[in-house]
Amino acid sequence: MENWWAIAGTLLGALIAGSAALLNSVYSAKSTLKRENRNRLIEEKERDVKELETLYQDILHSLDKLIRRLGSLETNELEKYYKMEIRMELISTKEIVDKLNTVSNDISKMASKLPKMPEEFIPKFEEDYERQSRLNNRKKAKEERKEKAEEFIPQIRKEYNKLSELMKVDLQKRRILEVDEYVEYRKKN
């Protein structure tokens, strides 16, 4: 009978030790999975913020070029800009997208109200005095455009600065949020 209690005690001890080991490994696996998931979310957050920062920089740079060039860019640059606008609508806040649309519309209005430039093509067979006349006309038109643009540029720059400030605040918010808060922030925006 004594053997029976010894065997039962050993089995019970083994059962308890086995259960404890099993529970420990389950807990460790859950803890490791949770830590890995959190690390993945932290990396995603950092990548998202970096991507958004680059997009904001590119948008601001393109807008600045549009302002300096009085609303005109080469076709491929405009296409790139339009693509960035679409990307902004997908990943930025509504407030920033609205302000971007305001700045873009203001630039478009300015460009449409500026005097048209004369034709740039100057044939080689043209006499020198005709060529000089065309060049003078272009120079005069450029000056008129620049003068007329001065009516619009201060307001556009003001809106541009507001957009830039909104972007800075958005990036700062995203950077300081904890991972769980950041996930909620993304869902909300």
PDB file of all heavy atoms in Angstrom, residues 43-56 170-176 182:
ATOM      1  N   GLU A  43       7.206  48.964 -36.308  1.00  0.00           N
ATOM      2  CA  GLU A  43       7.908  49.133 -37.585  1.00  0.00           C
ATOM      3  C   GLU A  43       6.969  49.678 -38.658  1.00  0.00           C
ATOM      4  O   GLU A  43       7.357  50.545 -39.444  1.00  0.00           O
ATOM      5  CB  GLU A  43       8.517  47.796 -38.039  1.00  0.00           C
ATOM      6  CG  GLU A  43       9.714  47.373 -37.234  1.00  0.00           C
ATOM      7  CD  GLU A  43      10.195  45.973 -37.574  1.00  0.00           C
ATOM      8  OE1 GLU A  43       9.706  45.371 -38.561  1.00  0.00           O
ATOM      9  OE2 GLU A  43      11.066  45.475 -36.848  1.00  0.00           O
ATOM     10  N   GLU A  44       5.737  49.174 -38.699  1.00  0.00           N
ATOM     11  CA  GLU A  44       4.751  49.673 -39.659  1.00  0.00           C
ATOM     12  C   GLU A  44       4.468  51.146 -39.424  1.00  0.00           C
ATOM     13  O   GLU A  44       4.381  51.923 -40.362  1.00  0.00           O
ATOM     14  CB  GLU A  44       3.438  48.889 -39.553  1.00  0.00           C
ATOM     15  CG  GLU A  44       3.393  47.646 -40.370  1.00  0.00           C
ATOM     16  CD  GLU A  44       2.028  46.960 -40.280  1.00  0.00           C
ATOM     17  OE1 GLU A  44       1.002  47.648 -40.156  1.00  0.00           O
ATOM     18  OE2 GLU A  44       2.006  45.724 -40.340  1.00  0.00           O
ATOM     19  N   LYS A  45       4.299  51.510 -38.166  1.00  0.00           N
ATOM     20  CA  LYS A  45       4.025  52.912 -37.824  1.00  0.00           C
ATOM     21  C   LYS A  45       5.178  53.796 -38.294  1.00  0.00           C
ATOM     22  O   LYS A  45       4.959  54.828 -38.930  1.00  0.00           O
ATOM     23  CB  LYS A  45       3.822  53.054 -36.325  1.00  0.00           C
ATOM     24  CG  LYS A  45       3.654  54.483 -35.868  1.00  0.00           C
ATOM     25  CD  LYS A  45       3.739  54.598 -34.363  1.00  0.00           C
ATOM     26  CE  LYS A  45       4.043  56.028 -33.997  1.00  0.00           C
ATOM     27  NZ  LYS A  45       4.610  56.182 -32.690  1.00  0.00           N
ATOM     28  N   GLU A  46       6.402  53.396 -37.984  1.00  0.00           N
ATOM     29  CA  GLU A  46       7.574  54.182 -38.392  1.00  0.00           C
ATOM     30  C   GLU A  46       7.661  54.283 -39.913  1.00  0.00           C
ATOM     31  O   GLU A  46       7.946  55.358 -40.448  1.00  0.00           O
ATOM     32  CB  GLU A  46       8.847  53.567 -37.815  1.00  0.00           C
ATOM     33  CG  GLU A  46       8.963  53.751 -36.320  1.00  0.00           C
ATOM     34  CD  GLU A  46      10.105  52.973 -35.694  1.00  0.00           C
ATOM     35  OE1 GLU A  46      10.825  52.237 -36.422  1.00  0.00           O
ATOM     36  OE2 GLU A  46      10.281  53.085 -34.467  1.00  0.00           O
ATOM     37  N   ARG A  47       7.387  53.195 -40.604  1.00  0.00           N
ATOM     38  CA  ARG A  47       7.426  53.199 -42.071  1.00  0.00           C
ATOM     39  C   ARG A  47       6.325  54.105 -42.635  1.00  0.00           C
ATOM     40  O   ARG A  47       6.563  54.891 -43.551  1.00  0.00           O
ATOM     41  CB  ARG A  47       7.287  51.773 -42.601  1.00  0.00           C
ATOM     42  CG  ARG A  47       7.496  51.667 -44.102  1.00  0.00           C
ATOM     43  CD  ARG A  47       7.315  50.264 -44.631  1.00  0.00           C
ATOM     44  NE  ARG A  47       5.948  49.819 -44.435  1.00  0.00           N
ATOM     45  CZ  ARG A  47       5.585  48.757 -43.723  1.00  0.00           C
ATOM     46  NH1 ARG A  47       6.480  48.000 -43.153  1.00  0.00           N
ATOM     47  NH2 ARG A  47       4.311  48.424 -43.585  1.00  0.00           N
ATOM     48  N   ASP A  48       5.121  54.009 -42.060  1.00  0.00           N
ATOM     49  CA  ASP A  48       4.007  54.860 -42.500  1.00  0.00           C
ATOM     50  C   ASP A  48       4.319  56.340 -42.317  1.00  0.00           C
ATOM     51  O   ASP A  48       4.067  57.153 -43.201  1.00  0.00           O
ATOM     52  CB  ASP A  48       2.726  54.526 -41.728  1.00  0.00           C
ATOM     53  CG  ASP A  48       2.100  53.212 -42.132  1.00  0.00           C
ATOM     54  OD1 ASP A  48       2.566  52.602 -43.124  1.00  0.00           O
ATOM     55  OD2 ASP A  48       1.141  52.783 -41.460  1.00  0.00           O
ATOM     56  N   VAL A  49       4.854  56.684 -41.155  1.00  0.00           N
ATOM     57  CA  VAL A  49       5.162  58.085 -40.866  1.00  0.00           C
ATOM     58  C   VAL A  49       6.254  58.585 -41.810  1.00  0.00           C
ATOM     59  O   VAL A  49       6.158  59.694 -42.342  1.00  0.00           O
ATOM     60  CB  VAL A  49       5.561  58.274 -39.381  1.00  0.00           C
ATOM     61  CG1 VAL A  49       6.116  59.662 -39.130  1.00  0.00           C
ATOM     62  CG2 VAL A  49       4.373  58.001 -38.475  1.00  0.00           C
ATOM     63  N   LYS A  50       7.255  57.765 -42.046  1.00  0.00           N
ATOM     64  CA  LYS A  50       8.340  58.155 -42.958  1.00  0.00           C
ATOM     65  C   LYS A  50       7.802  58.337 -44.381  1.00  0.00           C
ATOM     66  O   LYS A  50       8.158  59.292 -45.069  1.00  0.00           O
ATOM     67  CB  LYS A  50       9.446  57.113 -42.925  1.00  0.00           C
ATOM     68  CG  LYS A  50      10.718  57.552 -43.604  1.00  0.00           C
ATOM     69  CD  LYS A  50      11.893  56.804 -43.023  1.00  0.00           C
ATOM     70  CE  LYS A  50      13.190  57.412 -43.396  1.00  0.00           C
ATOM     71  NZ  LYS A  50      13.473  58.680 -42.759  1.00  0.00           N
ATOM     72  N   GLU A  51       6.955  57.423 -44.817  1.00  0.00           N
ATOM     73  CA  GLU A  51       6.352  57.520 -46.155  1.00  0.00           C
ATOM     74  C   GLU A  51       5.500  58.776 -46.273  1.00  0.00           C
ATOM     75  O   GLU A  51       5.566  59.495 -47.278  1.00  0.00           O
ATOM     76  CB  GLU A  51       5.489  56.280 -46.414  1.00  0.00           C
ATOM     77  CG  GLU A  51       4.773  56.296 -47.748  1.00  0.00           C
ATOM     78  CD  GLU A  51       3.809  55.132 -47.898  1.00  0.00           C
ATOM     79  OE1 GLU A  51       3.930  54.125 -47.159  1.00  0.00           O
ATOM     80  OE2 GLU A  51       2.930  55.227 -48.761  1.00  0.00           O
ATOM     81  N   LEU A  52       4.728  59.061 -45.247  1.00  0.00           N
ATOM     82  CA  LEU A  52       3.879  60.245 -45.260  1.00  0.00           C
ATOM     83  C   LEU A  52       4.724  61.515 -45.243  1.00  0.00           C
ATOM     84  O   LEU A  52       4.418  62.482 -45.943  1.00  0.00           O
ATOM     85  CB  LEU A  52       2.925  60.221 -44.061  1.00  0.00           C
ATOM     86  CG  LEU A  52       1.819  61.257 -44.059  1.00  0.00           C
ATOM     87  CD1 LEU A  52       0.905  61.069 -45.280  1.00  0.00           C
ATOM     88  CD2 LEU A  52       0.998  61.146 -42.787  1.00  0.00           C
ATOM     89  N   GLU A  53       5.800  61.508 -44.477  1.00  0.00           N
ATOM     90  CA  GLU A  53       6.696  62.665 -44.433  1.00  0.00           C
ATOM     91  C   GLU A  53       7.288  62.935 -45.815  1.00  0.00           C
ATOM     92  O   GLU A  53       7.327  64.081 -46.276  1.00  0.00           O
ATOM     93  CB  GLU A  53       7.812  62.431 -43.416  1.00  0.00           C
ATOM     94  CG  GLU A  53       8.771  63.600 -43.283  1.00  0.00           C
ATOM     95  CD  GLU A  53       9.841  63.346 -42.238  1.00  0.00           C
ATOM     96  OE1 GLU A  53      10.142  62.173 -41.928  1.00  0.00           O
ATOM     97  OE2 GLU A  53      10.388  64.333 -41.722  1.00  0.00           O
ATOM     98  N   THR A  54       7.705  61.893 -46.499  1.00  0.00           N
ATOM     99  CA  THR A  54       8.253  62.034 -47.852  1.00  0.00           C
ATOM    100  C   THR A  54       7.189  62.566 -48.807  1.00  0.00           C
ATOM    101  O   THR A  54       7.462  63.463 -49.619  1.00  0.00           O
ATOM    102  CB  THR A  54       8.788  60.670 -48.350  1.00  0.00           C
ATOM    103  OG1 THR A  54       9.806  60.223 -47.452  1.00  0.00           O
ATOM    104  CG2 THR A  54       9.360  60.779 -49.747  1.00  0.00           C
ATOM    105  N   LEU A  55       5.979  62.048 -48.694  1.00  0.00           N
ATOM    106  CA  LEU A  55       4.888  62.523 -49.542  1.00  0.00           C
ATOM    107  C   LEU A  55       4.602  64.000 -49.280  1.00  0.00           C
ATOM    108  O   LEU A  55       4.450  64.793 -50.217  1.00  0.00           O
ATOM    109  CB  LEU A  55       3.628  61.691 -49.310  1.00  0.00           C
ATOM    110  CG  LEU A  55       2.398  62.085 -50.131  1.00  0.00           C
ATOM    111  CD1 LEU A  55       2.668  61.918 -51.631  1.00  0.00           C
ATOM    112  CD2 LEU A  55       1.206  61.252 -49.713  1.00  0.00           C
ATOM    113  N   TYR A  56       4.543  64.380 -48.009  1.00  0.00           N
ATOM    114  CA  TYR A  56       4.313  65.789 -47.667  1.00  0.00           C
ATOM    115  C   TYR A  56       5.416  66.676 -48.249  1.00  0.00           C
ATOM    116  O   TYR A  56       5.145  67.746 -48.795  1.00  0.00           O
ATOM    117  CB  TYR A  56       4.243  65.969 -46.149  1.00  0.00           C
ATOM    118  CG  TYR A  56       2.955  65.519 -45.499  1.00  0.00           C
ATOM    119  CD1 TYR A  56       2.831  65.507 -44.119  1.00  0.00           C
ATOM    120  CD2 TYR A  56       1.861  65.106 -46.240  1.00  0.00           C
ATOM    121  CE1 TYR A  56       1.656  65.105 -43.493  1.00  0.00           C
ATOM    122  CE2 TYR A  56       0.679  64.693 -45.628  1.00  0.00           C
ATOM    123  CZ  TYR A  56       0.586  64.701 -44.252  1.00  0.00           C
ATOM    124  OH  TYR A  56      -0.568  64.304 -43.641  1.00  0.00           O
ATOM    125  N   ASP A 170       0.346  67.096 -38.108  1.00  0.00           N
ATOM    126  CA  ASP A 170      -0.087  65.715 -38.343  1.00  0.00           C
ATOM    127  C   ASP A 170       1.075  64.743 -38.140  1.00  0.00           C
ATOM    128  O   ASP A 170       0.915  63.722 -37.471  1.00  0.00           O
ATOM    129  CB  ASP A 170      -0.657  65.578 -39.763  1.00  0.00           C
ATOM    130  CG  ASP A 170      -1.186  64.186 -40.034  1.00  0.00           C
ATOM    131  OD1 ASP A 170      -1.953  63.667 -39.194  1.00  0.00           O
ATOM    132  OD2 ASP A 170      -0.840  63.617 -41.092  1.00  0.00           O
ATOM    133  N   LEU A 171       2.238  65.068 -38.675  1.00  0.00           N
ATOM    134  CA  LEU A 171       3.399  64.188 -38.498  1.00  0.00           C
ATOM    135  C   LEU A 171       3.803  64.087 -37.031  1.00  0.00           C
ATOM    136  O   LEU A 171       4.120  63.006 -36.538  1.00  0.00           O
ATOM    137  CB  LEU A 171       4.577  64.683 -39.339  1.00  0.00           C
ATOM    138  CG  LEU A 171       4.463  64.444 -40.842  1.00  0.00           C
ATOM    139  CD1 LEU A 171       5.586  65.152 -41.584  1.00  0.00           C
ATOM    140  CD2 LEU A 171       4.473  62.964 -41.167  1.00  0.00           C
ATOM    141  N   GLN A 172       3.772  65.199 -36.324  1.00  0.00           N
ATOM    142  CA  GLN A 172       4.118  65.181 -34.899  1.00  0.00           C
ATOM    143  C   GLN A 172       3.153  64.298 -34.117  1.00  0.00           C
ATOM    144  O   GLN A 172       3.576  63.504 -33.276  1.00  0.00           O
ATOM    145  CB  GLN A 172       4.119  66.601 -34.326  1.00  0.00           C
ATOM    146  CG  GLN A 172       5.282  67.430 -34.804  1.00  0.00           C
ATOM    147  CD  GLN A 172       5.150  68.904 -34.436  1.00  0.00           C
ATOM    148  OE1 GLN A 172       4.103  69.352 -33.989  1.00  0.00           O
ATOM    149  NE2 GLN A 172       6.221  69.654 -34.644  1.00  0.00           N
ATOM    150  N   LYS A 173       1.858  64.449 -34.407  1.00  0.00           N
ATOM    151  CA  LYS A 173       0.861  63.612 -33.718  1.00  0.00           C
ATOM    152  C   LYS A 173       1.139  62.136 -33.972  1.00  0.00           C
ATOM    153  O   LYS A 173       1.097  61.319 -33.060  1.00  0.00           O
ATOM    154  CB  LYS A 173      -0.547  63.932 -34.233  1.00  0.00           C
ATOM    155  CG  LYS A 173      -1.190  65.127 -33.636  1.00  0.00           C
ATOM    156  CD  LYS A 173      -2.600  65.279 -34.203  1.00  0.00           C
ATOM    157  CE  LYS A 173      -3.253  66.555 -33.783  1.00  0.00           C
ATOM    158  NZ  LYS A 173      -4.568  66.738 -34.436  1.00  0.00           N
ATOM    159  N   ARG A 174       1.383  61.811 -35.212  1.00  0.00           N
ATOM    160  CA  ARG A 174       1.599  60.403 -35.563  1.00  0.00           C
ATOM    161  C   ARG A 174       2.845  59.845 -34.898  1.00  0.00           C
ATOM    162  O   ARG A 174       2.879  58.676 -34.527  1.00  0.00           O
ATOM    163  CB  ARG A 174       1.679  60.236 -37.075  1.00  0.00           C
ATOM    164  CG  ARG A 174       0.344  60.459 -37.771  1.00  0.00           C
ATOM    165  CD  ARG A 174       0.497  60.394 -39.274  1.00  0.00           C
ATOM    166  NE  ARG A 174      -0.691  60.839 -39.972  1.00  0.00           N
ATOM    167  CZ  ARG A 174      -1.488  60.056 -40.675  1.00  0.00           C
ATOM    168  NH1 ARG A 174      -1.235  58.773 -40.768  1.00  0.00           N
ATOM    169  NH2 ARG A 174      -2.533  60.552 -41.291  1.00  0.00           N
ATOM    170  N   ARG A 175       3.882  60.662 -34.784  1.00  0.00           N
ATOM    171  CA  ARG A 175       5.132  60.189 -34.185  1.00  0.00           C
ATOM    172  C   ARG A 175       4.994  59.896 -32.697  1.00  0.00           C
ATOM    173  O   ARG A 175       5.595  58.958 -32.203  1.00  0.00           O
ATOM    174  CB  ARG A 175       6.235  61.220 -34.398  1.00  0.00           C
ATOM    175  CG  ARG A 175       6.811  61.197 -35.774  1.00  0.00           C
ATOM    176  CD  ARG A 175       8.042  62.092 -35.869  1.00  0.00           C
ATOM    177  NE  ARG A 175       8.532  62.086 -37.229  1.00  0.00           N
ATOM    178  CZ  ARG A 175       8.474  63.130 -38.051  1.00  0.00           C
ATOM    179  NH1 ARG A 175       7.974  64.275 -37.637  1.00  0.00           N
ATOM    180  NH2 ARG A 175       8.935  63.033 -39.277  1.00  0.00           N
ATOM    181  N   ILE A 176       4.239  60.721 -31.969  1.00  0.00           N
ATOM    182  CA  ILE A 176       4.205  60.565 -30.510  1.00  0.00           C
ATOM    183  C   ILE A 176       3.161  59.565 -30.034  1.00  0.00           C
ATOM    184  O   ILE A 176       3.186  59.170 -28.875  1.00  0.00           O
ATOM    185  CB  ILE A 176       3.992  61.919 -29.789  1.00  0.00           C
ATOM    186  CG1 ILE A 176       2.651  62.545 -30.155  1.00  0.00           C
ATOM    187  CG2 ILE A 176       5.134  62.857 -30.060  1.00  0.00           C
ATOM    188  CD1 ILE A 176       2.302  63.774 -29.334  1.00  0.00           C
ATOM    189  N   TYR A 182      -2.058  54.838 -32.368  1.00  0.00           N
ATOM    190  CA  TYR A 182      -1.800  55.116 -33.783  1.00  0.00           C
ATOM    191  C   TYR A 182      -2.760  54.321 -34.682  1.00  0.00           C
ATOM    192  O   TYR A 182      -3.288  54.848 -35.649  1.00  0.00           O
ATOM    193  CB  TYR A 182      -0.351  54.775 -34.142  1.00  0.00           C
ATOM    194  CG  TYR A 182      -0.024  55.057 -35.592  1.00  0.00           C
ATOM    195  CD1 TYR A 182       0.075  56.373 -36.046  1.00  0.00           C
ATOM    196  CD2 TYR A 182       0.152  54.026 -36.499  1.00  0.00           C
ATOM    197  CE1 TYR A 182       0.340  56.637 -37.371  1.00  0.00           C
ATOM    198  CE2 TYR A 182       0.430  54.293 -37.821  1.00  0.00           C
ATOM    199  CZ  TYR A 182       0.532  55.597 -38.256  1.00  0.00           C
ATOM    200  OH  TYR A 182       0.794  55.862 -39.574  1.00  0.00           O
TER     201      TYR A 182
END
